[in-house]
Amino acid sequence: MCMSCYETALSGAAGIDPCLCGAPKTQAAMRRLEADLSRRAFLGGSAAVVGMFAGFGLQPREVRAQAPGQPLLLTNLRYFDGTGSQLQEGRDILVRDGRIEALPPAGQGPAEAQRIDCGGRAVIPGLIDAHWHSTLVGVSQIVALTQDLGFVHLMSGREAGATLMRGFTTVRDVGGPAFGLKLAIDQGAVAGPRIFPSGAMLSQTSGHGDFRLPSELPRMPGDPASYSERIGAAAIADGRDEVLRRAREQLMKGASQLKIMAGGGVASRYDPLDATQYLEEEMEAAVRAAADWGTYVCAHVYTSKGIQRAVRAGVKSIEHGQLADSETIRMMRDEGAWWSIQPFLADEDANPYTDPASIAKQRQVAEGTVRAFEEGRAEGVRMAFGTDILFNPAGAASQGRQLSKLARFMSPLEALRMATGDAGELLSLSGPRSPYAGRLGVIAEGALADLLVTDGDPATDLSFLGDPDNTLRLIMKGGRIHKDTL
């Protein structure tokens, strides 16, 4: 009711209707005004939201997808297929519906294909980091364990986009609350790599995944979970029954594999590096829970005793393992266990520590790294590349440079294979729990179309991976082009 109507009602006048509030023309005008105000509010709010996300690097990227039914044909190239020992020539790469449909002889692709001239450059499969922490790499440990979780997830979204722009189109997340980030990437809300999530790291009390302070002990029956457990970074489980429960929870959330802590670590302050963690029957409980879901367990561990216990329990992937002796390395080979190993060299790219105990442990691991690579390769252990850059926002940018360091221990293409075809084989152990259907890490018919076009020559040197902004000219994930500066 307008003011004139209100005053008329108060005066007691009857039979007179001086107000046009109910008139059709007035109502139509009011609807137009409301719509305009709503549109302005929506645009202003949208701008604010986009601005907020842009500030974190999460603004929508320009992504080029294939026109429906129209294939892409990469021409004028050399390529590494992810499995061989040399670059191949004389073929083009035909991409349709997110997959590599064929590798036709050069110049013989379908006429209707949209052509991309690679200018004689090298094409390699999208890179795979088999030991990554999507939500724990872009923040410090104190931030991860004390700051608002929304902020941590926003930072992980920003880092996901940066990871993809470094050429890593797939990562195996081996600990942390990455399920939401994975969903956002898969739905196209955020740019980032494919994620094979482990969920919370399973740890015994006092283990490498127990982030509590001594002042929080003892935890009595009925006490609430610790903060790191509540946010899904870790799950403390003691005894067979509790390990089964926590393992099944991660599988319920969508874990593609499980991660257990089988020994001490460098970053943790309260568990010695030489500590063996989890009894064999506890490890077997996690392995059986995973096997019942058609997948496997990977284990954080450095020492021979811990590795041997994990392998006997059925663990399929040893994470780190730089302190393994010759007997243990041969055992890994004989049992078919994978060695997910990192170039821990205590150099300028190492995770930073201020605690003298952690610095000493880091130095000890670095001393074992060279021998681990050399003897592991000599004995024929299956190896996959990973970085384990952790709580180190500045260090995340070294991801590609870490891979290039492997050329110190082997030929460049052998090193590249550890981050492409070999890593793809490791990820395939997830079986029916794999979130993505199709081969990864290879350029082959039927494989997912994850491709990088680079100015570098991977047959002679991998240093170009340390400068992805300038050397990666095209980045394709699942047939969608996320970067093109050809």
Side-chain angles (χ1 to χ4, degrees):
M1 179 181 292
C2 69
M3 184 59 68
S4 63
C5 292
Y6 181 66
E7 291 172 348
T8 300
L10 288 178
S11 68
I16 302 174
D17 185 12
C19 180
L20 298 178
C21 289
K25 289 184 178 180
T26 304
Q27 291 294 308
M30 291 295 292
R31 285 194 296 270
R32 288 195 299 272
L33 178 60
E34 289 174 355
D36 184 62
L37 290 173
S38 297
R39 181 182 66 85
R40 291 173 184 269
F42 172 76
L43 290 176
S46 297
V49 171
V50 171
M52 177 185 72
F53 276 80
F56 283 97
L58 301 181
Q59 71 271 28
R61 293 180 180 272
E62 181 182 356
V63 178
R64 286 171 44 199
Q66 296 169 248
Q70 183 182 28
L72 291 173
L73 186 68
L74 277 66
T75 66
N76 189 15
L77 55 87
R78 303 168 297 143
Y79 71 96
F80 173 63
D81 68 3
T83 65
S85 57
Q86 60 185 8
L87 294 179
Q88 301 187 44
E89 299 182 4
R91 293 190 175 275
D92 294 336
I93 302 174
L94 181 64
V95 175
R96 191 194 303 267
D97 297 329
R99 294 180 183 271
I100 298 173
E101 182 175 278
L103 299 171
Q108 296 185 25
E112 73 273 14
Q114 176 186 344
R115 281 164 166 73
I116 298 177
D117 187 342
C118 297
R121 296 178 177 87
V123 181
I124 63 176
L127 303 174
I128 299 172
D129 191 327
H131 194 113
W132 189 247
H133 295 278
S134 305
T135 54
L136 303 179
V137 61
V139 293
S140 68
Q141 185 170 351
I142 191 67
V143 168
L145 297 179
T146 63
Q147 296 298 307
D148 184 86
L149 187 59
F151 174 74
V152 173
H153 284 305
L154 281 170
M155 297 302 287
S156 71
R158 181 180 73 170
E159 186 55 48
T163 303
L164 180 60
M165 289 299 100
R166 291 191 288 267
F168 287 86
T169 54
T170 302
V171 298
R172 184 177 60 151
D173 189 291
V174 286
F179 296 115
L181 177 62
K182 175 190 175 299
L183 182 62
I185 292 171
D186 291 347
Q187 293 191 355
V190 175
R194 292 186 181 83
I195 296 178
F196 281 69
S198 299
M201 303 169 274
L202 305 186
S203 171
Q204 68 174 47
T205 294
S206 77
H208 188 53
D210 188 345
F211 294 101
R212 295 174 298 172
L213 299 173
S215 59
E216 297 179 78
L217 305 179
R219 180 160 76 180
M220 305 301 291
D223 284 352
S226 65
Y227 181 74
S228 62
E229 293 175 280
R230 294 198 302 272
I231 66 173
I236 300 173
D238 294 300
R240 178 182 177 277
D241 291 346
E242 194 66 16
V243 169
L244 281 174
R245 184 192 310 276
R246 301 306 173 208
R248 288 166 175 166
E249 287 175 350
Q250 304 317 306
L251 293 166
M252 181 178 178
K253 288 182 175 181
S256 52
Q257 65 284 320
L258 297 177
K259 165 78 172 297
I260 66 172
M261 298 305 202
V266 174
S268 45
R269 302 191 66 168
Y270 303 111
D271 61 322
L273 192 61
D274 63 319
T276 304
Q277 299 172 12
Y278 271 136
L279 302 176
E280 195 165 327
E281 55 265 33
E282 292 173 309
M283 294 183 183
E284 287 174 346
V287 168
R288 292 184 66 181
D292 283 349
W293 281 55
T295 186
Y296 70 100
V297 172
C298 61
H300 161 102
V301 60
Y302 285 100
T303 65
S304 294
K305 182 180 178 182
I307 294 171
Q308 291 189 24
R309 181 179 292 184
V311 171
R312 285 196 303 270
V315 168
K316 297 296 185 185
S317 176
I318 299 299
E319 310 299 310
H320 315 314
Q322 276 85 349
L323 304 183
D325 60 23
S326 298
E327 177 189 357
T328 303
I329 291 173
R330 288 192 293 270
M331 179 183 183
M332 293 168 62
R333 177 201 62 197
D334 295 342
E335 296 299 325
W338 279 87
W339 198 345
S340 171
I341 189 169
Q342 303 74 36
F344 290 157
L345 298 169
D347 56 11
E348 68 279 1
D349 293 323
N351 292 321
Y353 301 109
T354 56
D355 176 50
S358 291
I359 294 172
K361 290 190 286 185
Q362 185 180 56
R363 197 173 296 120
Q364 183 181 354
V365 169
E367 291 171 356
T369 294
V370 175
R371 177 180 169 276
F373 271 107
E374 292 176 348
E375 191 164 350
R377 291 184 61 248
E379 292 291 351
V381 181
R382 293 186 293 180
M383 290 181 162
F385 166 78
T387 56
D388 193 29
I389 304 169
L390 185 63
F391 301 131
N392 187 0
S398 72
Q399 192 176 19
R401 187 164 63 247
Q402 301 275 18
L403 174 54
S404 69
K405 294 177 185 179
L406 299 192
R408 169 180 173 180
F409 309 109
M410 61 197 78
S411 73
L413 289 182
E414 284 181 280
L416 189 58
R417 190 171 64 226
M418 282 183 59
T420 53
D422 290 349
E425 282 191 50
L426 170 57
L427 267 54
S428 71
L429 295 181
S430 292
R433 300 287 76 77
S434 172
Y436 312 99
R439 292 181 68 190
L440 289 165
V442 295
I443 297 178
E445 291 186 8
L448 292 171
D450 298 349
L451 302 169
L452 309 177
V453 180
T454 176
D455 284 335
D457 182 2
T460 60
D461 181 23
L462 296 182
S463 61
F464 67 90
L465 294 173
D467 186 20
D469 289 345
N470 295 313
T471 63
L472 296 185
R473 303 297 298 277
L474 182 141
I475 298 175
M476 177 187 292
K477 173 193 164 193
R480 299 176 68 86
I481 297 175
H482 290 262
K483 176 183 178 180
D484 182 3
T485 61
L486 286 171

